[in-house]
Amino acid sequence: MTPFHLYLYGPSRGAIDSSFEELEGRLIMLPLLDFEPDGSFVWARDAGQLQIFGMVYDAEGMVRYCDLQGRCLYQTWRELCVAIAGGACDRLEVMSLPDRQLQDLQTFEKNLWPETSGSQG
């Protein structure tokens, strides 16, 4: 598995259409995900096959972006995206770090998980 570090944004690098509390409610439903009140979280399972560290940043009642780093399988990534975006994953944008390359979610996924090319998960 290829590790990643990225910022996850809403459409046009805007806010993710969710409040902090709504996003927290969806994230804590994921098995073995530990969410802290400051917005930091870690999701680890499957004997090291999944390890994601994240931080949720919000302002003015909306989640502005999430800082995510780790490694996981494509299906797990999609679970996380659904939890973050509340189901509207395909409108998310990614800024890969450290190169600060901005791309749509589908392009990022095809680059990191080429074997899932064309899959919408």
Side-chain angles (χ1 to χ4, degrees):
M1 274 179 280
T2 304
F4 57 84
H5 186 192
L6 58 90
Y7 292 160
L8 191 63
Y9 295 99
S12 302
R13 267 185 72 194
I16 295 171
D17 190 21
S18 185
S19 71
F20 182 91
E21 293 78 15
E22 291 167 341
L23 191 146
E24 175 186 16
R26 292 189 300 267
L27 285 177
I28 63 173
M29 298 303 289
L30 296 173
L32 302 176
L33 188 140
D34 182 29
F35 191 91
E36 297 295 327
D38 67 356
S40 63
F41 65 91
V42 63
W43 194 17
R45 67 176 195 201
D46 301 332
Q49 293 297 308
L50 161 69
Q51 191 170 33
I52 301 172
F53 301 94
M55 186 70 186
V56 177
Y57 293 93
D58 69 320
E60 300 173 0
M62 298 294 290
V63 173
R64 297 301 168 181
Y65 69 99
C66 296
D67 181 347
L68 304 171
Q69 57 184 325
R71 65 180 184 277
C72 65
L73 299 173
Y74 175 75
Q75 182 176 348
T76 303
W77 166 257
R78 291 301 287 191
E79 286 179 63
L80 181 63
C81 286
V82 167
I84 289 173
C89 298
D90 295 331
R91 299 190 63 218
L92 295 174
E93 292 190 8
V94 172
M95 180 183 289
S96 296
L97 299 171
D99 61 357
R100 300 182 56 87
Q101 179 182 359
L102 189 63
Q103 53 197 316
D104 62 41
L105 184 68
Q106 295 78 17
T107 301
F108 167 77
E109 291 174 345
K110 286 177 189 176
N111 289 335
L112 199 61
W113 297 280
E115 68 280 4
T116 62
S117 182
S119 178
Q120 291 300 308

